[in-house]
Each structure stands twice: as C-alpha cells, then as structure tokens.
Amino acid sequence: MTQQSLCNDQPVETKEGIMALLSDKGGAQYYAEMETLAVNPQKIQGILEKTCKSRTHTWLNICAHCGMCAESCFIYKANGNDPKQVPAYKIQSTLGELIKRKGNVDAKFMMHAMEVAWAGCTCCNRCALFCPHGIDTGVMFSYLRGILFATGFVPWELKIGSGMHRVYSAQMDVTTEDWVDTCEWMAEEQQDEWPGLEIPLDKEDADIMYVLNAREVKHYPEDIAKAAILFHLAGENWTVPSEGWENTSLAMFAGDWEGAKRHVERLYGAMKRLRPKRVVGTECGHAHRATAIEGPYWAGLEDGQTPVPYLHYVQWVAEALRTGKLKIDPKKKIKEPCTLQDSCNYVRNCGLGKYTREIMSYIAEDFREMDENQDFNYCCGGGGGLNGIGRFRKQRNIGLLPKLNQIRATGARLVVTPCHNCWDAIRDMMEEYEVHDIKWTFLKPLLLDMIIRPGDK
C-alpha cells in the first residue's frame, strides 16, 4: 500500500492541489485511492501519545453503557433506534478501538471510522447534556476527526475545504481582491435607495468590525449589503477588514487543527491591526464556535478570550432592538405562525438562545417553540460539515427527519434560522421531502422588511 496522488496524509497547500481535487468529480478517484491508502500505525500511535490526554481516556473507560445518550442523538432517532447509532457505541467502536489497537488497523477500518465520524456524528454535543458521567462524545469525535485528517482519511469535500483555508484564507476561492471588489460593488448597488451608504474597509478604532462567511461573498453578496444597511440604520461606526474577514472554518470540520489555527490567527490579526471595540460575526453557528470558543486555544491565548470582545450577530441584533437603535414597525411584524432553529454551536456551546428569543419577541406575533429547544435543541441534520459531503448524502437526508418533524409539529409556516448550515439543511429538507407550505429565512431580510426607516410615519 502506498501514498496516492489525490488521497494522502498531506494537507493541500497549493492552488494546483485544490484544482486537482476539484477536477476529480465527486471524489471518485480520491475514494478509490483511499481504499488502498497506507495506514501508518507508528504515526497514529505518536499522535495518540502526544494528544490523547487523561480526559479522553477517562471518558472512554468510565462509560457505563447505560444508553442514556441514545435518545439524545437525532441520528439514532432518525435511524429507527438502531443500536449501532448510539453515541457511546459509535465512539467506542472507532476511537476506542483505535486506541486499544495502538493504531494497528487497516484502510477498511479507517474508512469506517471516517463514515462514523462525519455521517454518524455532527459534533452537536447534545449527548453530553444527558450523560450521567458528563461524557461529551461530540468532543471525542472532533478529536477522532483530527486523527483521520492527519492520516488522509477525510471526506473529499473537506479535504478541499481545508485546502481553501490554507491557500485562500477562506472556505472558497475568494481572493482579497474579490472581497474588496464585492464590498465596493454592493455599496454602489444600494446608492439609489440608500445614498451615501458605505461598506468601510480597514477603518481603525471603529466600534464594530464585521466578519462573515465566504459563501456570502461568493454566492449571496446581497447579504453583505443587508448587513451594511442595518449597521447604517443603527448608526454604528463599523468596518470590515480587507484581510482576515472570513469567519467560518471548514478546517475545524475537517479536523485540520493546524489549518484552523492559521485561519483564526489571521482573523485575530485583523482585530489587532484595526483595534475595533468589538467584533460581530455573521449569522453562522460554527463560525462563532471556531472564533470565540475553540479559536483562542488554537492560537495559544491562555485566557481563552478573543483579542477583542466577540459577538454573534444575534447578540448585536438583540442589543440594537433593546436599545432602540433599530425599531420595528408593529404593522410589519411576522403575522403567520413561526418557529426558530438555533445552531447547536451557539446554543449549547455559548448559551445564546436567550438572545434569539428576545429577537423573536420583537418581530413575531405568533412564535412557537419546538418541543426540544434552546440547550436541548436538536441539530438541523446537516451540521458538522455533513451538509456538504456527497458520499454521505443519504445518511444526511435521513438525519433531516427529526428536525422536519419538529418544525411540522409547531404548525409554523416560517422558520427563522440565523445560521448558514441550518439554513442550507432546512432548504434541503423541504426539497427532499417535498414540503411546499413552510418557508425559511435568515434574520437580515426579515429585519429590513420591518425596520422603521428615516422618514417613515
């Protein structure tokens, strides 16, 4: 068994490497090579000896196999309570076995571990709320993903995504020039309706520095304009950085910890360079986790804090509504039944559910909670990178059902979802299961439709 041309244990560091992977439609050659990819037990054992600390060993050893984590897992429920989908079983049969065997496994085992790590767990961390011993299987699966990435057993799309971060400093091939041009273009596009609207670049000592998702630049540039208009209406002194603007981290999803470290250091570098009072991140859950929760430790910041205070977009919106910087026209509130999908990454990891519900109290007349919500919220079905992995699309589609059933049970006709991955998953579930009477939306377009503007009576 040998290292292969596309599937190997080296991260992608060049544009040529990215293009080679992209030219392999659906990763056909990549996965064929993976079946004979060399497994290096010494490398795996070296990683384990260096990084597998007492907490992980303790969690694996004290698991009582009580099954309390089973019902907590949306994937277990979606698959008819299949015992092989119990979180404890999934982690013991992959990471647990890898440790027991000291890395002496073959490519077939590693490919199975890859499937479980990305299609059997979205690292939503819900199971940790129910474990009597406080075991967090999601954290252990994140750790397993790191081992798999380091040995070449990572889904094709996430190998590409990790490479994008290393080469372009973004999850997509968006250059600094592309980004700056998009800001200028979006500001110009708004001049008829919003004369003088700016998207300020590299303003030092602003009150807010805004960072966002490369998908907005590549596919949804109007989202940047909407954010600019809302900051403008709120009277904010704000800016965006020309470099270090990308907030998301496919490197984190891929288990590419070095890539994740490099990425967040660029973002922190923009904070230090421009010295804003605060940073606001766009409507994305995992971007918040990568920047505010994991990022400080990747970057070696011992206090666990970002260089300047960091807020998720929902925190800024709630504050703006609470203080009157943004005011809602009562006649334009949401009249139809609506519900809310919170991202696992800012609810369970950051406790931001109170802010989204505060926002809903301002904008909705018939808000309906799902049966499990806030800290106990179920994953949308596509988190942890699962949305974008074609090889595991069937498993992802099955995993969408618990959330779809929750939404249907509320009777809502609109789902508010301040997270890109959740938005994508809900869009896909409505298409996959041919649901035509439920809509979904980010916050920004909703707010723009109902905000009182200068001159409104």
Side-chain angles (χ1 to χ4, degrees):
M1 293 188 291
T2 59
Q3 291 286 321
Q4 310 289 359
S5 62
L6 292 181
C7 184
N8 52 62
D9 64 2
Q10 297 302 305
V12 181
E13 298 276 11
T14 66
K15 294 178 183 179
E16 292 76 16
I18 291 173
M19 292 307 299
L21 284 165
L22 286 172
S23 67
D24 178 27
K25 299 300 182 183
Q29 178 185 338
Y30 178 84
Y31 287 119
E33 291 181 0
M34 187 180 288
E35 293 178 1
T36 58
L37 181 62
V39 179
N40 184 337
Q42 290 74 31
K43 182 174 184 177
I44 295 172
Q45 186 61 14
I47 294 171
L48 292 172
E49 289 175 357
K50 183 177 180 181
T51 63
C52 193
K53 304 299 183 181
S54 59
R55 181 180 68 171
T56 301
H57 286 293
T58 299
W59 278 348
L60 289 169
N61 290 331
I62 68 172
C63 176
H65 308 285
C66 65
M68 289 188 70
C69 59
E71 288 291 329
S72 73
C73 179
F74 77 96
I75 295 176
Y76 170 83
K77 294 168 73 72
N79 285 277
N81 298 352
D82 179 356
K84 290 186 177 180
Q85 296 293 347
V86 174
Y89 175 83
K90 287 184 283 192
I91 198 64
Q92 293 283 353
S93 63
T94 53
L95 178 61
E97 283 297 307
L98 197 62
I99 293 171
K100 284 180 184 178
R101 301 185 197 182
K102 298 183 178 180
N104 288 293
V105 297
D106 56 17
K108 183 177 180 180
F109 175 91
M110 294 296 276
M111 289 187 73
H112 166 71
M114 178 184 74
E115 179 169 349
V116 177
W118 275 281
C121 181
T122 61
C123 302
C124 80
N125 303 92
R126 190 174 189 269
C127 55
L129 298 179
F130 296 88
C131 177
H133 300 297
I135 298 169
D136 195 327
T137 304
V139 167
M140 287 194 284
F141 267 118
S142 290
Y143 176 66
L144 175 60
R145 288 182 178 192
I147 298 172
L148 291 164
F149 180 87
T151 51
F153 293 90
V154 60
W156 174 72
E157 292 89 348
L158 292 179
K159 181 85 167 189
I160 294 168
S162 160
M164 289 287 188
H165 278 290
R166 286 171 175 261
V167 174
Y168 291 98
S169 305
Q171 63 163 286
M172 294 181 172
D173 53 347
V174 179
T175 65
T176 298
E177 183 180 8
D178 293 335
W179 160 237
V180 171
D181 286 348
T182 300
C183 289
E184 293 173 351
W185 167 42
M186 282 295 102
E188 291 171 2
E189 284 278 308
Q190 310 306 314
Q191 292 308 307
D192 288 345
E193 186 174 2
W194 301 97
L197 180 75
E198 295 181 349
I199 300 178
L201 277 161
D202 290 331
K203 181 192 293 186
E204 297 180 355
D205 302 309
D207 292 333
I208 288 173
M209 185 179 86
Y210 183 58
V211 290
L212 60 158
N213 186 323
R215 278 189 290 178
E216 294 165 20
V217 186
K218 187 88 169 179
H219 299 298
Y220 315 115
E222 66 278 0
D223 196 83
I224 303 167
K226 290 169 184 174
I229 293 167
L230 288 166
F231 285 137
H232 174 73
L233 283 170
E236 296 287 13
N237 172 22
W238 72 291
T239 190
V240 292
S242 59
E243 295 183 0
W245 54 270
E246 159 71 295
N247 194 201
T248 61
S249 182
L250 290 191
M252 178 177 74
F253 283 161
D256 176 10
W257 305 127
E258 173 59 27
K261 175 180 184 292
R262 291 188 202 176
H263 176 68
V264 81
E265 285 179 337
R266 286 189 288 268
L267 198 155
Y268 292 170
M271 295 182 188
K272 295 172 183 176
R273 185 176 72 253
L274 299 182
R275 303 180 304 278
K277 293 183 176 65
R278 300 188 297 179
V279 176
V280 174
T282 191
E283 295 182 61
C284 180
H286 89 269
H288 187 83
R289 178 175 184 170
T291 305
I293 306 302
E294 310 284 0
Y297 298 100
W298 295 333
L301 304 181
E302 294 183 0
D303 62 358
Q305 301 297 312
T306 53
V308 300
Y310 177 89
L311 286 72
H312 187 281
Y313 194 74
V314 298
Q315 292 174 282
W316 177 80
V317 170
E319 178 188 276
L321 292 171
R322 188 188 317 127
T323 59
K325 286 185 174 182
L326 296 176
K327 296 180 180 179
I328 301 297
D329 184 340
K331 300 188 295 296
K332 296 180 180 179
K333 285 185 177 183
I334 305 168
K335 309 298 182 185
E336 61 188 338
C338 63
T339 190
L340 174 71
Q341 168 59 18
D342 278 314
S343 162
C344 300
N345 283 311
Y346 70 67
V347 171
R348 265 185 293 283
N349 286 296
C350 308
L352 303 189
K354 62 183 179 182
Y355 296 103
T356 46
R357 279 145 191 84
E358 182 181 358
I359 292 167
M360 297 308 292
S361 73
Y362 285 103
I363 68 175
E365 292 187 353
D366 188 1
F367 171 58
R368 304 181 181 186
E369 286 278 19
M370 297 185 206
D371 56 356
E372 300 281 355
N373 56 74
Q374 297 198 61
D375 285 356
F376 296 98
N377 186 38
Y378 280 114
C379 176
C380 62
L386 184 54
N387 263 341
I389 304 173
R391 185 179 179 89
F392 303 140
R393 183 51 53 95
K394 180 180 178 181
Q395 295 97 313
R396 194 289 304 261
N397 287 346
I398 293 170
L400 298 173
L401 279 169
K403 182 55 60 179
L404 176 57
N405 292 335
Q406 278 192 301
I407 294 170
R408 280 174 164 158
T410 67
R413 292 293 172 262
L414 177 69
V415 186
V416 180
T417 172
C419 171
H420 272 277
N421 274 337
C422 295
W423 190 98
D424 285 348
I426 292 170
R427 174 202 61 201
D428 290 353
M429 76 172 61
M430 300 308 176
E431 294 176 0
E432 176 70 19
Y433 295 102
E434 299 182 352
V435 179
H436 304 295
D437 59 343
I438 301 174
K439 299 175 292 183
W440 58 98
T441 181
F442 289 112
L443 276 172
K444 296 181 188 78
L446 278 180
L447 292 167
L448 277 179
D449 284 344
M450 61 182 72
I451 289 294
I452 297 175
R453 305 183 180 196
D456 288 350
K457 296 182 179 179

